[in-house]
Amino acid sequence: MNNPRFWAVVPAAGVGRRLGATIPKQYLDLAGRPVIDWTLAPFIDDPRISGVWVALGAEDGFWSATAYASHPKVRRVDGGAERCHSVLNALDALAALADGSDWVLVHDAARPCLRRADLDRLMTQLATDPVGGILAVPVRDTMKGADAAGRIATTLDRAAMWHAYTPQMFRLGPLREALRDAIVAGDLVTDDASAMERIGLAPRLIEGHADNLKITRAEDLPLARFYLDLQAQSC
């Protein structure tokens, strides 16, 4: 585990049904650029990242027109039916080049507002961690648990609750095994930390900023633009 390298994986095979757009949400225009261009930029620009693997749908007709489609740091891999399948496909391909002790940062394609300072904090604070961890933000609102009828069943204690964001950073070997184990068991985990938790590990929470939003609804696009404008003004 001497001098492990850092790699990024971006699952981008989703179609964004909840957004109701005619094209996948990662290709929607955001301040004059596709969402995915903003998403990839922090990883492309960081010299510590050895390469970026983007998992795309087999019939993706939009990727070739993006800024980083032909970038030497970027490689394309086939995505899968669910996020976990896409990530595992990328990890399987990456394993031919990388060591099992290398770090992998998995980041959602529809999170275009990642601050470079948050990326640096995650990589720096987890560099020697035995498990790895995720960017996250403490819950501020009162949280309710619902029953099957859509009524409040319980009020949850927010003091110990966090919003799970990405990137999520783990060693290649353990994450690959954890995802494969989850998929074989029929547990289609929605984030990488869940796969690690399934095998008895406790990922670390690294506090980031709440503007690292994931675009899922139409109102998220103007909000993302607002956040990007604010970030540019603070540079």
Side-chain angles (χ1 to χ4, degrees):
M1 292 174 55
N2 293 328
N3 301 317
R5 290 177 291 177
F6 295 87
W7 307 85
V9 165
V10 178
V15 296
R17 294 184 183 88
R18 280 179 292 176
L19 195 66
T22 57
I23 65 173
K25 59 186 177 182
Q26 60 267 28
Y27 298 115
L28 292 172
D29 180 82
L30 176 58
R33 301 169 63 185
V35 167
I36 199 168
D37 282 1
W38 293 100
T39 299
L40 293 174
F43 302 97
I44 299 294
D45 295 341
D46 195 313
R48 295 169 294 181
I49 302 292
S50 297
V52 183
W53 295 76
V54 183
L56 300 168
E59 299 180 359
D60 188 306
F62 303 95
W63 168 249
S64 60
T66 62
Y68 301 115
S70 300
H71 194 282
K73 202 171 182 178
V74 176
R75 298 199 180 200
R76 174 177 180 167
V77 65
D78 288 340
E82 302 292 340
R83 181 187 188 277
C84 56
H85 299 116
S86 292
V87 174
L88 183 57
N89 285 355
L91 297 181
D92 285 344
L94 176 57
L97 293 176
D99 188 85
S101 65
D102 285 354
W103 289 108
V104 178
L105 293 91
V106 184
H107 188 56
D108 297 328
R111 287 192 190 272
C113 302
L114 172 64
R115 297 191 187 203
R116 283 161 171 78
D118 284 353
L119 176 61
D120 181 68
R121 184 180 305 110
L122 183 77
M123 296 174 69
T124 300
Q125 294 192 19
L126 294 180
T128 59
D129 194 273
V131 176
I134 71 172
L135 277 183
V137 174
V139 168
R140 299 171 183 172
D141 302 313
T142 299
M143 303 297 289
K144 303 291 186 179
D147 63 16
R151 295 185 177 276
I152 294 173
T154 184
T155 298
L156 305 171
D157 181 8
R158 69 182 179 188
M161 299 184 70
W162 293 63
H163 293 288
Y165 287 2
T166 68
Q168 302 195 351
M169 179 173 144
F170 300 103
R171 303 276 184 182
L172 170 59
L175 178 57
R176 189 180 175 205
E177 293 180 9
L179 281 171
R180 185 180 293 114
D181 182 75
I183 291 170
V184 168
D187 186 359
L188 303 182
V189 291
T190 56
D191 77 341
D192 313 288
S194 296
M196 301 299 279
E197 293 164 46
R198 284 187 78 260
I199 60 173
L201 299 176
R204 186 176 169 190
L205 295 162
I206 303 297
E207 185 169 355
H209 287 80
D211 57 6
N212 181 18
L213 86 166
K214 183 177 182 181
I215 294 174
T216 57
R217 302 181 183 276
E219 60 264 31
D220 294 331
L221 270 172
L223 184 57
R225 169 124 193 205
F226 173 73
Y227 285 149
L228 289 172
D229 287 343
L230 282 183
Q231 291 177 15
Q233 293 170 21
S234 65
C235 291

